[in-house]
Amino acid sequence: MKLSVQGLNSHYGPAHILFDVALEVGEGEVVALLGRNGAGKSTTFRSIVGLVAQRSGRIVFGGRDVSDRPTHEIVRSGLGYVPEERRIFTDLSVEENLEVGRQPQRPNAPYWTCEKLFTLFPNLGEMRHRAGGRMSGGEQQMLTIARTLMGNPSLVLLDEPSEGLSPKIVEQMVAAIQTMKREGVSMIVSEQNLHFARLISDRAYIIERGRICFGGTMAELDARPDIRDAHLSL
Ligand SMILES: Nc1ncnc2c1ncn2[C@@H]1O[C@H](COP(=O)(O)OP(=O)(O)OP(=O)(O)O)[C@@H](O)[C@H]1O
Ligand SMILES: [Mg+2]
């Protein structure tokens, strides 16, 4: 098992947000975390990487218990996190943004270079000297993912990668995620868009009001339109 989360409970101040969240990602697997606005997708990711102060539960990544480790240590152990907000450096060029994310090569994870990432995201290669602030939202989204890959993670948490993208850019994003998977990157991809999730993932979890209410293959989910209609807005 690449990542295992058990009994995750998270709070923001007095508000209890996540209730006994449990999920698993196998080696090389792509898993979708589906749920409506405010369901708890981002909080789940933030909790896994140690960005939620009040959390309890057990998080095992690559065979190591990281439940109480600080964020920088978790990320340096090969767990990449691409937040919902695109946090690129607007004054730095595409190449410079990528350099910021560079970490040493690590065993059991694919190794990325700028050139390899420009093959993964061809339009980033065409604008390698452009300032980050002069890129479209979709291009910035790709740059954020590419910068995370410069850290050579073995698993990546991708928070709503298709959000706000044009259909053409969505297509490129699907292709990039499929290539990342082929290269051996395990992923959890949070999504509201079931069609996008279906194109990239092996399995899916549905989260609603901080609770996991479904876990299964995409085929199992397709066989349960009742669950889909109750917990996802399509
Ligand atoms: N910093 C915060 N302080 C207090 N409550 C928060 C905070 N961040 C999120 N919440 C609440 O926690 C719940 C889960 O939010 P979260 O952002 O995890 O949902 P989400 O599934 O990522 O939604 P979206 O699809 O809109 O990104 C929501 O009720 C939200 O209002
Ligand atoms: Mg979110």
Side-chain angles (χ1 to χ4, degrees), residues 12 15 17 35-44 84 159-160 192:
Y12 290 124
I17 304 292
R36 293 192 177 112
N37 279 322
K41 302 180 296 296
S42 298
T43 303
T44 300
E84 219 166 7
D159 202 353
E160 298 206 43
Q192 300 196 37

Side-chain angles (χ1 to χ4, degrees), residues 177-190:
I177 291 173
Q178 288 169 341
T179 304
M180 287 162 63
K181 177 177 163 65
R182 269 200 308 278
E183 293 281 333
V185 183
S186 310
M187 281 171 265
I188 310 182
V189 183
S190 90

